[in-house]
Amino acid sequence: SYEVTQPHSVSVSPGQTASITCSGDKLGNKYAYWYQQKSGLSPVLVIYQNTKRPSGIPERFSGSNSGNTVTLTISGTQAMDEADYYCQAWDSSTVIFGGGTKVTVL
Amino acid sequence: QVQLVQSGAEVKEPGASVKVSCKASGYTFTSLDINWVRQAPGQGLEWMGWMNPVGGSSGSAQKFQGRVTMTRSTSINTAYMELSGLRSEDTAVYYCARAQRGYDSGTYLYYFDYWGQGTLVTVSS
């Protein structure tokens, strides 16, 4: 079955850039999506179709897709961005989630 | 505005079944799939399956086949997820989520743009 892999954790200083990767076989041929989940809350879509931002999501969130890796980038990271981030793909009629990356703003 | 409002927390004994509801508002309920995703304490997101409200067709992850039933009532814009044969490992927060799907530039898209608030299901004797 298809799998995508994320780093367990990423640390970033306020105002710096955080990059979260998600890797999977031929992931570049699919669309990838990113969800932010703050403690105790439901997930929120922050990037869809690799690079698009839903209404209301700050411009500091961006996405890219190349080869077997997709990347969520948070530019000028703020304390409010501390959360778990999950990538998601679709393969063979199945939704696949990555294991999640905990972003800590130090 | 789009809302998905789920039923309240449940406590069940091992071997029992649980049925969680998800009431949709703010859009045409029959136009988009409803999916179910769960999250065990301290763990990541786990996809369970999808349900198309038009005809009621559904599909589930292999792990849940034979144990999960997804249904709907179009008259009250509500989706349901029933999980049977509960065991302690099923203790989790269960979310419903609305799915966007289709094709763009020849590539299939399927993702969740709205989520319910979650329902905690605790399995304990």
Side-chain angles (χ1 to χ4, degrees):
Chain A
S1 61
Y2 192 80
E3 295 182 353
V4 292
T5 303
Q6 301 178 231
H8 182 69
S9 62
V10 166
S11 297
V12 60
S13 300
Q16 298 305 301
T17 297
S19 295
I20 307 163
T21 58
C22 175
S23 300
D25 185 43
K26 299 178 182 177
L27 185 55
N29 295 338
K30 308 178 188 295
Y31 282 129
Y33 313 92
W34 291 95
Y35 302 91
Q36 176 195 66
Q37 187 180 33
K38 295 183 179 180
S39 181
L41 298 179
S42 301
V44 173
L45 179 71
V46 293
I47 294 290
Y48 66 102
Q49 289 179 246
N50 299 334
T51 60
K52 299 179 181 180
R53 241 185 358 264
S55 173
I57 300 302
E59 290 185 9
R60 63 180 181 273
F61 289 90
S62 63
S64 62
N65 187 339
S66 178
N68 293 330
T69 302
V70 296
T71 303
L72 173 68
T73 302
I74 312 173
S75 305
T77 306
Q78 300 183 9
M80 69 173 64
D81 300 329
E82 189 162 282
D84 294 325
Y85 291 83
Y86 295 91
C87 68
Q88 178 241 309
W90 168 272
D91 182 81
S92 301
S93 301
T94 301
V95 171
I96 300 99
F97 285 106
T101 298
K102 182 175 184 60
V103 171
T104 303
V105 183
L106 298 171
Chain B
Q1 74 282 19
V2 174
Q3 281 192 305
L4 299 174
V5 179
Q6 298 182 223
S7 49
E10 303 262 14
V11 179
K12 296 292 183 180
E13 293 192 346
S17 297
V18 68
K19 191 171 186 177
V20 179
S21 68
C22 172
K23 183 172 178 60
S25 62
Y27 73 102
T28 302
F29 176 63
T30 51
S31 65
L32 296 167
D33 291 356
I34 292 289
N35 282 241
W36 292 89
V37 177
R38 77 177 186 179
Q39 186 171 37
Q43 302 302 307
L45 302 175
E46 181 176 32
W47 178 72
M48 299 181 69
W50 61 271
M51 186 273 301
N52 185 305
V54 174
S57 60
S58 64
S60 63
Q62 190 169 8
K63 174 178 180 178
F64 299 103
Q65 288 177 7
R67 270 213 311 148
V68 69
T69 304
M70 288 167 282
T71 58
R72 89 289 187 222
S73 171
T74 54
S75 63
I76 57 172
N77 294 343
T78 299
Y80 303 93
M81 186 283 299
E82 184 170 22
L83 188 62
S84 61
L86 290 170
R87 34 207 187 230
S88 60
E89 311 90 89
D90 294 317
T91 294
V93 175
Y94 289 76
Y95 295 100
C96 63
R98 187 182 83 164
Q100 293 287 347
R101 62 172 177 163
Y103 283 91
D104 191 353
S105 302
T107 301
Y108 191 69
L109 60 96
Y110 200 93
Y111 64 96
F112 309 129
D113 59 351
Y114 286 92
W115 296 66
Q117 83 276 19
T119 297
L120 175 62
V121 175
T122 302
V123 183
S124 174
S125 55

